Amino acid sequence: MLHKDIKKVLITAEEIQKRTDEIAARISKDYEGEPILMVCILRGAVLFFADLVRKINAEINFDFMAVSSYGAGLSSSGEVRIMKDISGPIQGKNVIIVEDIIDSGNTLCYLKRLLKQRHPKSIRIAALLDKPERREADIEGDYIGFKVPNEFVVGYGLDYNEKYRNLPDVCVLKPEVYEK
Ligand code: IMP
Ligand code: MG
């Protein structure tokens, strides 16, 4: 049964798992035998990260970063603040940043530039969703789950005002939810 605030399901939990399998297989192949530092961007990427890492066949370490580019609401402020940095040096490591969605691209553009200055061996981006119509920054993901239309989405980690992250599918909210 659908949550009362949901207008429609855009991507089902099943589709997400199938696509995550494919991305994990690609990553396993691309990094063959090389260790990877997987960096989860809190909080939106948590579920994607958890499902993705367990499907990758490689030596993996975890780290976590929290950034804030949004206040409450639907659009990016363009300003990125680091709320929590990764816990160790990344020099000489293969880093994959795992994000929930690339929207304007400002967050990932900033993050990638920041981490590059720390001299990793390589740095790539895995994002569950991509909203190319909204792009402002010159950035592309290396591993993308799904392209989505210019609609605000929630579920499978993504929130609206910190709600709906636990929904198993990627969904569109009813318009009246935003009007409240
Ligand atoms: P960007 O800097 O505009 O690319 O925004 C990236 C961040 O904005 C993501 O990590 C999300 O937290 C948030 N975001 C962008 N679009 C959506 C959406 O449709 N639903 C939920 N969060 C979103
Ligand atoms: Mg967010």
Side-chain angles (χ1 to χ4, degrees):
M1 211 187 67
L2 275 189
H3 186 289
K4 64 174 175 39
D5 294 345
I6 298 305
K7 185 172 94 179
K8 65 175 179 203
V9 171
L10 206 60
I11 308 165
T12 66
E14 221 179 4
E15 290 168 325
I16 294 169
Q17 289 315 312
K18 194 164 160 263
R19 186 70 186 123
T20 308
D21 282 338
E22 292 168 3
I23 293 173
R26 269 274 310 283
I27 293 175
S28 308
K29 195 157 169 268
D30 289 353
Y31 288 82
E32 249 188 304
E34 297 250 349
I36 312 170
L37 176 65
M38 303 286 293
V39 177
C40 176
I41 308 303
L42 299 172
R43 294 182 283 268
V46 163
L47 299 189
F48 177 50
F49 181 85
D51 283 336
L52 182 64
V53 290
R54 75 183 85 183
K55 294 171 172 175
I56 297 173
N57 180 19
E59 187 189 312
I60 285 180
N61 287 337
F62 292 178
D63 215 326
F64 299 88
M65 267 184 111
V67 298
S68 141
S69 59
Y70 268 36
L74 302 179
S75 63
S76 172
S77 63
E79 211 179 287
V80 182
R81 269 189 308 160
I82 305 293
M83 315 300 283
K84 183 216 173 304
D85 204 341
I86 38 184
S87 52
I90 60 169
Q91 184 164 0
K93 295 185 180 172
N94 294 304
V95 175
I96 299 183
I97 307 173
V98 183
E99 194 29 325
D100 53 0
I101 184 166
I102 314 179
D103 187 33
S104 72
N106 290 327
T107 307
L108 276 172
C109 193
Y110 177 87
L111 274 182
K112 197 174 176 185
R113 205 172 337 124
L114 180 82
L115 295 184
K116 255 190 173 165
Q117 291 167 0
R118 301 179 188 176
H119 307 291
K121 180 175 179 189
S122 67
I123 184 159
R124 284 189 178 163
I125 292 168
L128 174 71
L129 305 174
D130 185 9
K131 234 190 247 178
E133 277 175 62
R134 300 247 312 167
R135 198 74 88 253
E136 292 167 15
D138 181 21
I139 188 106
E140 264 185 68
D142 301 283
Y143 305 100
I144 297 292
F146 303 88
K147 286 204 171 134
V148 289
N150 188 5
E151 263 184 303
F152 196 80
V153 293
V154 299
Y156 194 67
L158 292 106
D159 72 304
Y160 173 61
N161 289 349
E162 292 305 323
K163 285 164 72 182
Y164 313 109
R165 290 194 195 274
N166 61 314
L167 301 182
D169 314 295
V170 172
C171 306
V172 178
L173 288 172
K174 290 177 182 165
E176 58 262 35
V177 177
Y178 304 117
E179 287 149 18
K180 268 181 212 159

